[in-house]
Amino acid sequence: MTDMKNRPNLQQVILLGIRMKRDDELVKQLLIEMEDSTEAVHFYGLSDPDEADGGERKYYHLRLMQDAGLVEESGRHGCNWRMTNAGHDFVGLIRDAGMWAKMKERAAQVVPSYGLKLLYEVGHALARQKLRDMGLPLE
């Protein structure tokens, strides 16, 4: 476990280049958690005593999700998050384990280290293909 006094904060992670790798499963977990909640706004900060890293990993991933347009941070001091319409659309695609696996597989065939935007687009393409297969032509 990391000593809380010597633990880097998010600013240090960014400024010092401490390696953070995106975890797509955490992105999925956070989005589903947010959508399943009865709350419209969720607090995720950098001082979560329930997390070994104090919440930095979740916060970092929320910032990545914000970059992709899936969530927005708000509030006077930040750390308040709401899911955007695009976030809800994405959750609709990723809830099905088979679809989630296909999205990641297809995206990885194009670019081994794909981004959230590509995953989103692949998911929509797969959904459109399913509609075409059902006889509902899309233009």
Short mmCIF file of all heavy atoms in Angstrom, two decimals, residues 31 35 69-72 82-92 120 124:
data_model
loop_
_atom_site.label_atom_id
_atom_site.label_comp_id
_atom_site.label_asym_id
_atom_site.label_seq_id
_atom_site.Cartn_x
_atom_site.Cartn_y
_atom_site.Cartn_z
N LEU A 31 -19.01 4.05 -15.95
CA LEU A 31 -20.18 4.48 -16.70
C LEU A 31 -21.45 3.74 -16.28
O LEU A 31 -22.50 4.35 -16.08
CB LEU A 31 -19.95 4.31 -18.21
CG LEU A 31 -19.02 5.34 -18.84
CD1 LEU A 31 -18.68 4.92 -20.27
CD2 LEU A 31 -19.65 6.72 -18.82
N GLU A 35 -24.78 5.30 -14.51
CA GLU A 35 -26.11 5.20 -15.09
C GLU A 35 -27.07 4.44 -14.17
O GLU A 35 -28.26 4.76 -14.10
CB GLU A 35 -26.07 4.53 -16.47
CG GLU A 35 -27.44 4.62 -17.15
CD GLU A 35 -27.45 4.11 -18.56
OE1 GLU A 35 -27.28 2.89 -18.75
OE2 GLU A 35 -27.66 4.93 -19.47
N GLY A 69 -15.98 12.95 -24.28
CA GLY A 69 -17.34 13.47 -24.32
C GLY A 69 -18.38 12.59 -23.65
O GLY A 69 -19.57 12.77 -23.85
N LEU A 70 -17.94 11.63 -22.83
CA LEU A 70 -18.86 10.70 -22.19
C LEU A 70 -19.39 11.23 -20.85
O LEU A 70 -20.48 10.85 -20.43
CB LEU A 70 -18.18 9.35 -21.98
CG LEU A 70 -17.63 8.69 -23.25
CD1 LEU A 70 -16.86 7.42 -22.90
CD2 LEU A 70 -18.73 8.42 -24.24
N VAL A 71 -18.61 12.06 -20.18
CA VAL A 71 -19.01 12.67 -18.91
C VAL A 71 -18.55 14.12 -18.90
O VAL A 71 -17.69 14.52 -19.70
CB VAL A 71 -18.42 11.93 -17.68
CG1 VAL A 71 -18.91 10.50 -17.58
CG2 VAL A 71 -16.90 11.98 -17.68
N GLU A 72 -19.12 14.89 -17.97
CA GLU A 72 -18.69 16.28 -17.76
C GLU A 72 -18.44 16.50 -16.28
O GLU A 72 -19.19 16.01 -15.44
CB GLU A 72 -19.78 17.26 -18.20
CG GLU A 72 -19.96 17.35 -19.68
CD GLU A 72 -21.02 18.37 -20.08
OE1 GLU A 72 -21.80 18.82 -19.21
OE2 GLU A 72 -21.07 18.71 -21.26
N ARG A 82 -21.32 14.28 -14.26
CA ARG A 82 -22.60 13.83 -14.81
C ARG A 82 -22.32 13.18 -16.15
O ARG A 82 -21.39 13.54 -16.87
CB ARG A 82 -23.59 14.97 -14.97
CG ARG A 82 -23.29 15.90 -16.11
CD ARG A 82 -24.49 16.80 -16.45
NE ARG A 82 -24.27 17.41 -17.75
CZ ARG A 82 -24.63 16.88 -18.92
NH1 ARG A 82 -25.28 15.73 -18.96
NH2 ARG A 82 -24.38 17.49 -20.05
N MET A 83 -23.14 12.19 -16.46
CA MET A 83 -22.99 11.49 -17.73
C MET A 83 -23.68 12.31 -18.82
O MET A 83 -24.77 12.83 -18.62
CB MET A 83 -23.62 10.10 -17.65
CG MET A 83 -23.31 9.24 -18.85
SD MET A 83 -24.05 7.59 -18.77
CE MET A 83 -23.36 6.97 -17.27
N THR A 84 -23.03 12.42 -19.98
CA THR A 84 -23.61 13.14 -21.11
C THR A 84 -24.51 12.18 -21.90
O THR A 84 -24.53 10.97 -21.65
CB THR A 84 -22.52 13.66 -22.06
OG1 THR A 84 -21.82 12.53 -22.60
CG2 THR A 84 -21.55 14.59 -21.35
N ASN A 85 -25.22 12.72 -22.87
CA ASN A 85 -26.04 11.89 -23.73
C ASN A 85 -25.16 10.86 -24.45
O ASN A 85 -25.54 9.69 -24.58
CB ASN A 85 -26.80 12.75 -24.74
CG ASN A 85 -27.81 11.95 -25.51
OD1 ASN A 85 -28.66 11.29 -24.94
ND2 ASN A 85 -27.71 11.99 -26.84
N ALA A 86 -23.99 11.28 -24.90
CA ALA A 86 -23.07 10.34 -25.56
C ALA A 86 -22.65 9.24 -24.59
O ALA A 86 -22.48 8.08 -24.99
CB ALA A 86 -21.84 11.08 -26.08
N GLY A 87 -22.49 9.58 -23.31
CA GLY A 87 -22.16 8.57 -22.30
C GLY A 87 -23.26 7.54 -22.15
O GLY A 87 -22.99 6.34 -22.07
N HIS A 88 -24.52 8.01 -22.13
CA HIS A 88 -25.64 7.08 -22.05
C HIS A 88 -25.69 6.19 -23.30
O HIS A 88 -25.95 4.98 -23.19
CB HIS A 88 -26.96 7.84 -21.90
CG HIS A 88 -27.17 8.39 -20.53
ND1 HIS A 88 -27.54 7.62 -19.46
CD2 HIS A 88 -27.05 9.66 -20.05
CE1 HIS A 88 -27.65 8.38 -18.38
NE2 HIS A 88 -27.35 9.62 -18.71
N ASP A 89 -25.44 6.78 -24.47
CA ASP A 89 -25.41 5.98 -25.70
C ASP A 89 -24.33 4.91 -25.62
O ASP A 89 -24.55 3.76 -26.02
CB ASP A 89 -25.13 6.88 -26.92
CG ASP A 89 -26.28 7.80 -27.27
OD1 ASP A 89 -27.38 7.63 -26.72
OD2 ASP A 89 -26.06 8.71 -28.11
N PHE A 90 -23.17 5.28 -25.11
CA PHE A 90 -22.05 4.35 -25.00
C PHE A 90 -22.41 3.21 -24.04
O PHE A 90 -22.15 2.04 -24.34
CB PHE A 90 -20.81 5.10 -24.53
CG PHE A 90 -19.52 4.32 -24.69
CD1 PHE A 90 -19.06 3.94 -25.93
CD2 PHE A 90 -18.75 4.03 -23.59
CE1 PHE A 90 -17.86 3.23 -26.08
CE2 PHE A 90 -17.55 3.33 -23.71
CZ PHE A 90 -17.11 2.94 -24.96
N VAL A 91 -23.03 3.54 -22.91
CA VAL A 91 -23.44 2.50 -21.95
C VAL A 91 -24.42 1.55 -22.61
O VAL A 91 -24.36 0.34 -22.39
CB VAL A 91 -24.05 3.12 -20.67
CG1 VAL A 91 -24.69 2.05 -19.80
CG2 VAL A 91 -22.98 3.85 -19.88
N GLY A 92 -25.31 2.07 -23.43
CA GLY A 92 -26.25 1.21 -24.14
C GLY A 92 -25.55 0.18 -25.01
O GLY A 92 -26.04 -0.94 -25.18
N TYR A 120 -16.31 3.86 -29.37
CA TYR A 120 -17.66 4.40 -29.50
C TYR A 120 -18.15 4.25 -30.95
O TYR A 120 -19.25 3.78 -31.20
CB TYR A 120 -17.61 5.88 -29.08
CG TYR A 120 -18.94 6.59 -29.07
CD1 TYR A 120 -19.77 6.50 -27.96
CD2 TYR A 120 -19.34 7.39 -30.13
CE1 TYR A 120 -20.98 7.19 -27.92
CE2 TYR A 120 -20.55 8.07 -30.10
CZ TYR A 120 -21.36 7.97 -28.99
OH TYR A 120 -22.55 8.64 -28.96
N HIS A 124 -21.20 1.85 -32.54
CA HIS A 124 -22.31 2.36 -33.35
C HIS A 124 -22.35 1.67 -34.71
O HIS A 124 -23.43 1.37 -35.23
CB HIS A 124 -22.22 3.88 -33.50
CG HIS A 124 -22.74 4.60 -32.31
ND1 HIS A 124 -24.06 4.88 -32.13
CD2 HIS A 124 -22.09 5.06 -31.21
CE1 HIS A 124 -24.23 5.50 -30.97
NE2 HIS A 124 -23.04 5.61 -30.40
#
